[in-house]
Amino acid sequence: MAASTDLFERRNRARIVAVVLIAACNYVLAVALGAVAVALSLVLLAIFKFEIWPDSVEALELMGYGVGGICALAFVIGFFTALVRIPSRRGDLEQRVLSETSATVIDDDSHKEVRNLLEGLAIAAGIPPPRYAVIDDAAPNSFGVGTKPKHAIVAVTTGLCDELTRDELEAVLAYEVTRIRSYDVALASWTVALTGGAISALDSDGGLVSGIIGFVPRRIAEWLQVWALRDQGTERDRAAVRFTRNPASLLRALEKLDADTTEVGHVTRATAPLWIEFPAHILAGSPTRATRRLSESLLLDERIDALRTLAHLEAARPAEPARPAEPAGPITPA
């Protein structure tokens, strides 16, 4: 296990450092610009509502200094507010994702099969057994979240438990465990926590001013997700195949997920990269170039072909149609 994931883990650790530095700066910029957008919107609203129109060049100049000072003050307030909020973006990430997906952390004897499989896989991988959660959703899918292996949570939908056999479920859980072991879950979680924060900071106002001012930080956040998570789908599958002793089960599980047309209902653009199957409706709802590039590396169809090649497995052959019965010869009367 260690030999197959060490290189992947080192790369992910390096990307985490880069993501934290770049995304933190971008998040601070986004929050500061969001504060400027709110302040500028209020100023413009006051000007139009109270009809405060300058009647001379001196008055116009004075108004310009006043508006500029308000925007500068808002930028400073937003800047320091963002610095204070950055730790909380990481600290409450798990709870925010669980709340968004309506996942329930299991701490009793229900879903014992999931618990037993996760504990055995975690022991084999040399990591603390992750907590697990269940989502009441018919779409088969799963995700892992947590900025450290000891804080990781694996969530599965009820559809995943219902549609997969025990071997296939174990393969999917092994996939999630390898992601935790290789710090892939940590990388995705840090990326979602900080890039999602930059996007939500600019979405909170939802106005035209915020959209214009926040265009650059929003695009930086989206492209940072693409950079941080590029090629992750293939690397995740590669690590999972080397860890699981039955890669055919993982392949069958992914084929079932890909063939199933239902999609998880509670997911956003920011948290979509956490799921084993990138929800296709996110691509339709956010057709930016960055989203398309990210989904291309995480959608299952191409990954299944690469996984089949990696595991030296042939594609499942479609069943041959039954041969029609040969017509009986003419009956000769006795």
Side-chain angles (χ1 to χ4, degrees), residues 195-244:
T195 58
I199 295 172
S200 62
L202 293 163
D203 284 342
S204 59
D205 173 59
L208 178 62
V209 175
S210 178
I212 295 174
I213 293 179
F215 178 82
V216 172
R218 188 193 308 274
R219 289 296 176 263
I220 291 175
E222 291 180 349
W223 281 105
L224 186 59
Q225 275 197 354
V226 174
W227 175 82
L229 303 179
R230 69 189 188 279
D231 303 327
Q232 290 299 95
T234 302
E235 293 299 334
R236 293 169 183 176
D237 297 337
R238 189 186 306 275
V241 165
R242 290 174 178 173
F243 177 50
T244 57

Side-chain angles (χ1 to χ4, degrees), residues 86-108:
I86 283 179
S88 68
R89 297 301 306 180
R90 190 223 66 81
D92 63 356
L93 172 66
E94 292 87 355
Q95 188 56 45
R96 285 189 287 113
V97 173
L98 292 177
S99 176
E100 173 191 303
T101 57
S102 299
T104 302
V105 177
I106 305 300
D107 54 8
D108 53 26

